C-alpha cells in the first residue's frame, strides 16, 4: 500500500508538470501578455523550483525527514493548484465584481494575486517532491542489513597448535581444547548486477525512471509499469480536450488533494539523517582568510588532523595551498571557525575544483528554458492535425518524454563501454560533453525551423494575425524537441553521477542538489539573456528582436545567439574537463572499501589455514616415504 500511495503522488506531480507546461499559452491567450513577458514569468517560476531543492534538502537533513517534507510539499501543491483554479476569471467573478469571460479585462487584482501565489506554492511543491519523493520511495524498499555470518575455521585452533609443536619437538598434547575465536566471514557480498540505493539516488531528479527501476528490481514489472506510466499518460492525453481553463487547473488540484489525503493515511519508513557537513566548506574559507599572513610549515604532519576513526581521511594535495592555512595550529584553542582538519581542507579543494565545470550547467539551463516557453509558443498556433485526426497539444510533451527515455540508453551504452575499458571515471564528463553538444544542435535546428515558420507567416499574410492558425504542421518542431530531450537526458544522467563520484565522501549526497540548482539559475538567467539581447538588437535604430507578438519577432536570431553561446560553453567545458583532477569513483564508497579490506583479511586467514593444511599433508607424505 505504501507503494500505491507514493505512486499516486507521482501521478499528481506529472499532472502539475503539464499545468506548468501549458501556462505560457494561458498567459498569452487569456491575459494577452507578450510572449517574452509570459516566458519570463514562467522561467522565474521554473528556475525557482530547481533552486529551492538545495535549501529544502538541508531542512530535511537537519531532522525534518522525507515524510514530513513530502507531506508539506504535497499540501503546497494542493493549495497552489487550488489557487490557480480560483484565479481563472469565472470562479470568483461574483465575489470580485468582474466578468466571467477569459479576457484581460476580467482579471482583477484578486485573480492576479492568487495566480502569482499559486506559482510560488507550486514551485515549493515541485522542489519538495524533488527532494523527498524518490528518497522516501527508496526507504520503503530498503532491505534490512544482513549481519555477517560468523563461521569457525575448518581446523580447530588447539589441533593446529599441538600439530606445530609436535613437528618442532614432540611436545606433549596437553594443550586445553579451547574453541577458536570467532572469525567474521561475510558471505553476503553484494552482487555487481543488483540495484542499490546509490544507483537509484542517481535518478533523484527523474522520478518516473526511478520508480520503474525500483518496481523492476522488486519483480512487479508489468503491474508497476502500468501504474507508473499508463495512468498519467492517459490523463495527459485527456486533459487538453477540456476547454475551460478553470477545469484544466481544477482537475489536477483535485487529483493532488486525493493523492495527499491517501498519502497522509499511510505508514512509512523514514531514515532521517543526522546533520550536514556542508558548513565545513565555509569554515575552511573563513579560517584560511583569518590566517592568510601565516606561513605554512614545511612538514605537513604539523597540520591539524582529527584522530577519530569514524571519519574517512583524505591525503593532502599540492593544489590551492592557501587553503591549507586553515589547518595551522595556533596554540590558542581549537575554535571551530579558526582551525580545520586537513580532510576538511581537502574536501573544500575538491568543491572549488568543480566550479569551472559547474558554470557549464548554467548555459545548459538557459537552453532548457526555451523548451518549456518559446517552443510551446511556436507550436501553440501551428497545425496539430494528422489527416482528419486532431492530436492534443500534449503530444509534443509525450514525444519529448519518450525521446528523453530513449536518450538514456545512449548514455548507458557509452558509460558501459567506458566502464569495460577501465575508464569509468570519464563516463559522466563524456555525458556532459554530449549534453552541451546537444544544446548547440538544438539551438541551430530551432533557428532553422523558426526561419521557415516566419517565411510561411509572411507568405500567407499572417504577420498581424497572431491568433490565426499557421498552415504548417507542428511536427516541424519535433527535431528540436528530440535534441532538447537529448540535452536534458544526458545532463540529468551524467551530472548526478559526476557529482556523486567526484564530490568529497561526506558531501556527495548534498552536492547532487547542485544539479537542478545550477540549471535553475540558468533558467532564471534566461530572463536576463532576453533583456540583454533585446537591448543590443535595437542599437542604431534597429527593431528589437522581441516584439509583442511572436509573429512579429525574430526569434530565430535569438536562437542563433544561443547557438553561439552554447558553442562557447561546449569548448569551455572541454578545457575544464581536461584540466579537472579526476578521482576514482570507488574512493567515495566507504562500505565497499571496508568490505574489500575485510575480505582481504579473511583471505589471509584462510591462506594461513590452507598453508597449515598443506604442511600437514607434506609431513604425512614424508613419513610414508621414510617407512
Amino acid at each position: 500500500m505504501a507503494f500505491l500511495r507514493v505512486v499516486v503522488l507521482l501521478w499528481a506531480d506529472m499532472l502539475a508538470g503539464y499545468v506548468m507546461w501549458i501556462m505560457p499559452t494561458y498567459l498569452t491567450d487569456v491575459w494577452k501578455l507578450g510572449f517574452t513577458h509570459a516566458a519570463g514569468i514562467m522561467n522565474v517560476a521554473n528556475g525557482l523550483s530547481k533552486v529551492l531543492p538545495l535549501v529544502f534538502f538541508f531542512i530535511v537533513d537537519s531532522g525534518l525527514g522525507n515524510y514530513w517534507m513530502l507531506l508539506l510539499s504535497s499540501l503546497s501543491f494542493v493549495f497552489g493548484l487550488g489557487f490557480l483554479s480560483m484565479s481563472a476569471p469565472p470562479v470568483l467573478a461574483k465575489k470580485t465584481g468582474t466578468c466571467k469571460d477569459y479576457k484581460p479585462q476580467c482579471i482583477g487584482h484578486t485573480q492576479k494575486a492568487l495566480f502569482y501565489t499559486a506559482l510560488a506554492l507550486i514551485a515549493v511543491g515541485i522542489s519538495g517532491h524533488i527532494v523527498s519523493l524518490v528518497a522516501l520511495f527508496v526507504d520503503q524498499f530498503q532491505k534490512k542489513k544482513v549481519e555477517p555470518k560468523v563461521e569457525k575455521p575448518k581446523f580447530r585452533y588447539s589441533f593446529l597448535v599441538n600439530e606445530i609443536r609436535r613437528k618442532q619437538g614432540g611436545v606433549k598434547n596437553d594443550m586445553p581444547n579451547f574453541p577458536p575465536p570467532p572469525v567474521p566471514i561475510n558471505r553476503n557480498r553484494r552482487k555487481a548486477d543488483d540495484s542499490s540505493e546509490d544507483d537509484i539516488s542517481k535518478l533523484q531528479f527523474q522520478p518516473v525512471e526511478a520508480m520503474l527501476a525500483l518496481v523492476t528490481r522488486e519483480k512487479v514489472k508489468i503491474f508497476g509499469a502500468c501504474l507508473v506510466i499508463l495512468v498519467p499518460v492517459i490523463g495527459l492525453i485527456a486533459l487538453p480536450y477540456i476547454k475551460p481553463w478553470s477545469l484544466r487547473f481544477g482537475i489536477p488540484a483535485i487529483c493532488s488533494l486525493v493523492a495527499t489525503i491517501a498519502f497522509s493515511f499511510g505508514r512509512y519508513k523514514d531514515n532521517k539523517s543526522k546533520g550536514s557537513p556542508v558548513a565545513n566548506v565555509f569554515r575552511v574559507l573563513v579560517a584560511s582568510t583569518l590566517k592568510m599572513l601565516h606561513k605554512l610549515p614545511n612538514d605537513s604532519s604539523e597540520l591539524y588532523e582529527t584522530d577519530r576513526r569514524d571519519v574517512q581521511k583524505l591525503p593532502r594535495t599540492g593544489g590551492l595551498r592557501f587553503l591549507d592555512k586553515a589547518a595551522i595550529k595556533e596554540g590558542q584553542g581549537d575554535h571551530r571557525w579558526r582551525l580545520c582538519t586537513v580532510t576538511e581542507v581537502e574536501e573544500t579543494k575538491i568543491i572549488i575544483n568543480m566550479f569551472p565545470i559547474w558554470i557549464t550547467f548554467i548555459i545548459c539551463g538557459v537552453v532548457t528554458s526555451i523548451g518549456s516557453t518559446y517552443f510551446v509558443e511556436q507550436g501553440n498556433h501551428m497545425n496539430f492535425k494528422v489527416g482528419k485526426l486532431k492530436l492534443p497539444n500534449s503530444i509534443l510533451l509525450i514525444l519529448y518524454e519518450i525521446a528523453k527515455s530513449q536518450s538514456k540508453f545512449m548514455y548507458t551504452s557509452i558509460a558501459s563501454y567506458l566502464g569495460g575499458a577501465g575508464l569509468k571515471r570519464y563516463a559522466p564528463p563524456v555525458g556532459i560533453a554530449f549534453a552541451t553538444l546537444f544544446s548547440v544542435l538544438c539551438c541551430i535546428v530551432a533557428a532553422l525551423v523558426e526561419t521557415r515558420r516566419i517565411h510561411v507567416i509572411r507568405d500567407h499574410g499572417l504577420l498581424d494575425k497572431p491568433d490565426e492558425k499557421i498552415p504548417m504542421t507542428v511536427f516541424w518542431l519535433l527535431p528540436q524537441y528530440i535534441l532538447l530531450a537529448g540535452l536534458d537526458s544526458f545532463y540529468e544522467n551524467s551530472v548526478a553521477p559526476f557529482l556523486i563520484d567526484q564530490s568529497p565522501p561526506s558531501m556527495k549526497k548534498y552536492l547532487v542538489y547542485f544539479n537542478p540548482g545550477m540549471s535553475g539559475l540558468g533558467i532564471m538567467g534566461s530572463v536576463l539573456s532576453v533583456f540583454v539581447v533585446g537591448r543590443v538588437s535595437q542599437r542604431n535604430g534597429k527593431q528589437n528582436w522581441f516584439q509583442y507578438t511572436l509573429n512579429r519577432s525574430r526569434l530565430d536570431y535569438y536562437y542563433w545567439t544561443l547557438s553561439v553561446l552554447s558553442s562557447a560553453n561546449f569548448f569551455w567545458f572541454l578545457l575544464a574537463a581536461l584540466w579537472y583532477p579526476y578521482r576514482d569513483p570507488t574512493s567515495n564508497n566507504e562500505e565497499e572499501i571496508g568490505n574489500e579490506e575485510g575480505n582481504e583479511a579473511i583471505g589471509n586467514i584462510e591462506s594461513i589455514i590452507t598453508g597449515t593444511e598443506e604442511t600437514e599433508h607434506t609431513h604425512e607424505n614424508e613419513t610414508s616415504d621414510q617407512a
Side-chain angles (χ1 to χ4, degrees), residues 403 438-439 441-443 445-446 478-488:
F438 275 123
S439 68
L441 298 176
C442 178
C443 294
V445 172
L478 188 58
Q480 62 199 59
Y481 266 106
I482 292 176
L483 291 170
L484 182 68
L487 159 62
D488 292 341

Side-chain angles (χ1 to χ4, degrees), residues 364-382:
C364 289
V366 173
V367 177
T368 297
S369 68
I370 64 177
S372 58
T373 52
Y374 298 140
F375 287 4
V376 177
E377 280 297 311
Q378 285 176 265
N380 187 30
H381 298 290
M382 296 175 73

Side-chain angles (χ1 to χ4, degrees), residues 244-314:
W245 285 99
S246 57
L247 288 181
R248 283 193 188 184
F249 300 152
I251 291 175
I254 295 173
C255 293
S256 297
L257 177 61
V258 173
T260 302
I261 293 174
F263 173 76
S264 62
F265 282 106
R267 299 181 63 182
Y268 311 91
K269 293 185 292 183
D270 191 358
N271 299 326
K272 296 184 178 181
S273 302
K274 300 179 180 179
S276 168
V278 178
N280 294 336
V281 176
F282 299 100
R283 288 178 50 237
V284 171
L285 296 176
V286 171
S288 60
T289 303
L290 294 176
K291 300 177 184 178
M292 65 171 59
L293 299 179
H294 288 55
K295 185 178 180 181
L296 283 171
N298 296 326
D299 187 1
S300 61
S301 62
E302 297 180 14
L303 298 176
Y304 175 67
E305 181 59 283
T306 182
D307 55 357
R308 290 175 53 188
R309 295 184 177 181
D310 59 337
V311 177
Q312 184 178 354
K313 300 178 180 61
L314 297 176

